[in-house]
Amino acid sequence: MTCPCCSGKAYEECCQPFHKGDKSAPTAEALMRSRFSAFAIPNADYLWETTLPSKRKFHDKAELQEWGEINTWTKLEIVRTSVLNQVEFKAYYTDQDAKSQIHHEFSYFQLIKGRWYYVSGDFFEN
Ligand SMILES: [Zn+2]
């Protein structure tokens, strides 16, 4: 299958090695893409593991899984990667009422011992 992150590559050659733990995402943008794919699949374990450990208390793994499942994730658009650890993106999805939605976020990432983690995000109203 084509990778859900819209890279145009096969899933096996894109986000799957990150999800399986064979490789870790080399950049903040790659981690962002793999996290979008993890919502689409969904794979809440991966979302949990790639969240900064000190921030995990603000998230619930079961809720992440449910959020991935109830929505259909249609497209990821990287708006900009301004500096190394920040990514602005738009995640397009169809919600459980079949309404098209856009999740527009400016995310912060942190590199610890060679691994990228999601720290937090600022959300834009659309
Ligand atoms: Zn991908």
Side-chain angles (χ1 to χ4, degrees), residues 7-91:
S7 62
K9 291 191 262 183
Y11 175 56
E12 293 75 17
E13 291 164 8
C14 189
C15 293
Q16 190 186 47
F18 306 143
H19 291 170
K20 286 171 71 182
D22 295 343
K23 283 197 243 172
S24 52
T27 63
E29 184 180 326
L31 184 76
M32 167 60 235
R33 289 182 165 282
S34 68
R35 286 176 52 89
F36 176 84
S37 294
F39 275 110
I41 297 244
N43 181 342
D45 287 332
Y46 183 76
L47 293 166
W48 186 256
E49 283 159 16
T50 55
T51 299
L52 194 72
S54 64
K55 298 284 184 183
R56 287 175 187 164
K57 59 180 177 284
F58 301 116
H59 302 273
D60 182 280
K61 205 191 276 189
E63 276 177 22
L64 290 169
Q65 185 76 13
E66 194 190 336
W67 183 242
E69 278 171 10
I70 62 174
N71 300 305
T72 302
W73 301 85
T74 48
K75 193 175 89 170
L76 173 66
E77 179 188 335
I78 302 291
V79 178
R80 63 192 163 123
T81 307
S82 53
V83 288
L84 281 176
N85 65 336
Q86 297 170 5
V87 181
E88 183 183 347
F89 67 93
K90 290 180 181 179

Side-chain angles (χ1 to χ4, degrees), residues 88-107:
E88 183 183 347
F89 67 93
K90 290 180 181 179
Y92 294 76
Y93 63 96
T94 306
D95 69 16
Q96 73 236 60
D97 300 319
K99 279 175 64 177
S100 294
Q101 304 282 357
I102 301 173
H103 175 83
H104 187 182
E105 179 174 334
F106 193 91
S107 295

